[in-house]
Amino acid sequence: MIKDIMIRLILVLSFFFAYTCFKAIQINPLHQYTMILISFVFFASMVSSIFINRSRPEVFKTPWFMILSWVGSTFMGFWGTYIMIAIPIDIVAVGYAFFNHGVSFLTSNAHFGIFLLALCMTVFGFISVVRGPKIVKVNIPIPDLHPSLEYIRIAQISDLHIGPTIQSRYVRRVVEKTNELDPDIIVITGDLVDAHTESIKQHLQPLSDLKSRHGVFYVTGNHEYYWGMKTLFSELRNVGLTILENENKIIEINGSKILLAGIPDPMAGQLGESFRPDLKKARFTQIKTDFNILLAHRPDPYSLAEEQGFHLQFSGHTHAGQFFPFSLLIPLAHKFYRGLNRHGEMWLYVNPGTGYWGPANRFGIASEITLATLTKTS
C-alpha cells in the first residue's frame, strides 16, 4: 500500500514539475535550459523542505533548513497562485487552438504578464503573512440568552501550524493580540502544530502566557496526528491548555452554566476506534446547563451538533482556501467554510486560520484571531 502511494505521489509530482518547466520555458523561450534549471531548484526546495521536516527532525534548528523552508514555502505560494491562474487559461487556449487550426491567442508577452500577475499577488499574500493575524469581532445573537451570559467574550485561535516558518516570534504576537482582547474564554480549534514535538517544544512556550478568566481549551486537528500525539499532549498541558477529547467542562459564570465540549479530529481514529470523535459522549452531562458550545476542528459535524443541543460551534480547518484563487474552490468541499453561519437553531463560526499551512501566502484571505461576543436577542 505504501509503495502504491509513493508511486502515485511521484507521478503527480513529475506531472507538476513537467508542467512547471513547460510554463517557465513559455515565459523565456530563448533560455530554455536556464528556465528548466531555475524551475528544478525552486521546485526541489518546495518539495524537499516538507520531506526533510518529517524525516530528519534533528536538522530543524539548523540555519540551512530554515532558509530552505522559507524559500520552499514562499515559492509554493507563488507556484500555487501561478498554476491556478495558468491551468484554466491553458485549457481555454487549447480549445481555441483546436477550432483555429492550431493558432494560439497566447503570446510570449501574455505568458510573461501571467507570471507578473501571479508574482504581484504572491508578494501581497506574503506581506499579509508577515503582518500576522487581524482581529475579527463578531456578535453571536442568542434568543433567550441568560442575562448573566450576555457579553461573554470568547477568543478563538485556529490552524496556527507552529513549525518550520511559524515559530516563537509569531506565536508571541498571537498571544499578545489575544490577551489584549481580555477574553472570558480562549478556545484553540486544532492544527496547532506542524512538526515533531521535540523540534517545536520551545515555540510552544509562549502559549503559557495566554490569559482568560475561565481557561484555555484545545481540541486536536488532523495535522497533530501526522506528527505523533504522545509527547505533544504533555507539552500542551504544561503550557496550560485544557485538552477536550470527547469530553466537556462546565464553566459557571454568575450563577449560569456553560457546557464547553470538544471532540478530536476524525484522524484520531488511526489510534483506534475508541479515539474517534463521539459527539454524544462529549455532550453528556447530568448537570443542567444554560448554554452549550462545541469545539470541533472541522465544521462538518454541525448537523449532528445541532441535534445534540449545542447552541454554538467553533471550527477551523478550511483556511477559507488560504489564498486566492484557491479560495474559489473551497465552497466545493465545505458548505460552511468561513465566518459566522447558521444551521437550524445553532450558530457555527469557522475561523480561516490564525497562521497558515505550506505556502507563505494569504492573498485575499487574511489570518485571523476571532473574538465572539454572546448577545441577547428578544
Side-chain angles (χ1 to χ4, degrees):
M1 173 128 181
I2 295 177
K3 184 179 179 180
D4 291 340
I5 293 174
M6 289 302 298
I7 291 173
R8 291 172 188 169
L9 179 61
I10 291 171
L11 289 174
V12 170
L13 290 175
S14 298
F15 167 78
F16 279 117
F17 175 64
Y19 183 72
T20 303
C21 292
F22 169 68
K23 298 306 295 181
I25 291 171
Q26 285 183 324
I27 294 169
N28 188 356
L30 297 179
H31 300 87
Q32 296 185 15
Y33 293 110
T34 300
M35 298 306 291
I36 291 174
L37 178 61
I38 292 172
S39 298
F40 175 79
V41 170
F42 282 104
F43 200 88
S45 70
M46 179 177 71
V47 175
S48 63
S49 60
I50 297 173
F51 282 98
I52 292 173
N53 184 30
R54 174 164 293 280
S55 61
R56 296 188 60 194
E58 71 275 7
V59 305
F60 187 88
K61 297 179 182 179
T62 60
W64 68 264
F65 177 71
M66 294 184 68
I67 293 172
L68 177 67
S69 296
W70 273 110
V71 171
S73 180
T74 305
F75 177 71
M76 189 185 297
F78 166 75
W79 180 81
T81 301
Y82 180 72
I83 292 296
M84 284 293 294
I85 296 173
I87 286 178
I89 292 176
D90 279 348
I91 292 173
V92 173
V94 169
Y96 179 89
F98 180 80
F99 291 104
N100 290 274
H101 309 290
V103 178
S104 175
F105 63 82
L106 290 174
T107 64
S108 58
N109 287 338
H111 291 302
F112 189 68
I114 296 169
F115 171 83
L116 285 181
L117 174 62
L119 183 61
C120 289
M121 291 170 64
T122 304
V123 169
F124 282 107
F126 183 79
I127 291 172
S128 179
V129 162
V130 172
R131 284 178 177 171
K134 67 177 183 178
I135 303 298
V136 174
K137 297 181 180 180
V138 58
N139 291 332
I140 313 290
I142 307 294
D144 303 321
L145 180 69
H146 196 284
S148 62
L149 297 180
E150 192 168 15
Y151 306 121
I152 291 297
R153 298 189 294 179
I154 306 166
Q156 182 191 13
I157 297 167
S158 192
D159 300 86
L160 191 52
H161 291 281
I162 300 171
T165 59
I166 293 182
Q167 300 188 349
S168 297
R169 181 180 298 180
Y170 193 98
V171 179
R172 276 195 296 269
R173 289 172 62 194
V174 169
V175 169
E176 289 168 3
K177 287 187 173 186
T178 304
N179 287 343
E180 286 172 3
L181 299 174
D182 191 28
D184 296 288
I185 301 169
I186 296 174
V187 299
I188 302 176
T189 48
D191 279 5
L192 181 61
V193 304
D194 233 326
H196 296 285
T197 303
E198 285 303 312
S199 299
I200 58 171
K201 189 175 180 179
Q202 70 186 86
H203 305 301
L204 296 172
Q205 293 308 306
L207 295 173
S208 64
D209 294 324
L210 282 170
K211 290 179 172 56
S212 75
R213 292 175 183 79
H214 301 285
V216 182
F217 300 89
Y218 160 83
V219 293
T220 58
N222 51 305
H223 279 248
E224 280 87 341
Y225 297 97
Y226 302 153
W227 301 97
M229 300 301 298
K230 292 181 180 179
T231 55
L232 177 62
F233 272 15
S234 61
E235 288 300 322
L236 295 183
R237 290 190 178 99
N238 286 341
V239 297
L241 273 58
T242 299
I243 302 169
L244 297 176
E245 293 187 286
N246 293 325
E247 57 188 319
N248 62 68
K249 297 292 181 181
I250 305 298
I251 300 172
E252 186 166 345
I253 301 176
N254 301 323
S256 297
K257 294 181 175 63
I258 293 178
L259 179 140
L260 184 62
I263 56 173
D265 186 83
M267 280 294 295
Q270 69 180 7
L271 302 178
E273 286 297 319
S274 62
F275 293 91
R276 291 187 181 278
D278 188 334
L279 266 175
K280 289 185 178 180
K281 183 179 178 182
R283 172 68 179 84
F284 177 76
T285 180
Q286 294 181 333
I287 300 173
K288 184 180 183 302
T289 56
D290 299 286
F291 194 73
N292 305 319
I293 301 173
L294 173 67
L295 308 184
H297 177 61
R298 307 184 196 219
D300 306 348
Y302 63 86
S303 181
L304 293 175
E306 195 243 358
E307 291 176 5
Q308 289 294 320
F310 287 99
H311 302 99
L312 174 61
Q313 176 181 328
F314 287 103
S315 296
H317 183 64
T318 69
H319 291 222
Q322 188 160 308
F323 60 94
F324 181 87
F326 272 98
S327 54
L328 298 177
L329 300 179
I330 199 69
L332 302 177
H334 298 277
K335 179 180 179 180
F336 301 127
Y337 58 90
R338 185 181 188 182
L340 187 63
N341 306 271
R342 182 83 171 182
H343 175 74
E345 299 298 317
M346 188 187 78
W347 288 105
L348 164 64
Y349 193 89
V350 184
N351 182 302
T354 308
Y356 57 90
W357 177 82
N361 187 349
R362 296 220 64 142
F363 180 75
I365 311 290
S367 54
E368 175 184 316
I369 298 169
T370 311
L371 181 66
T373 301
L374 303 184
T375 59
K376 186 177 180 179
T377 59
S378 56

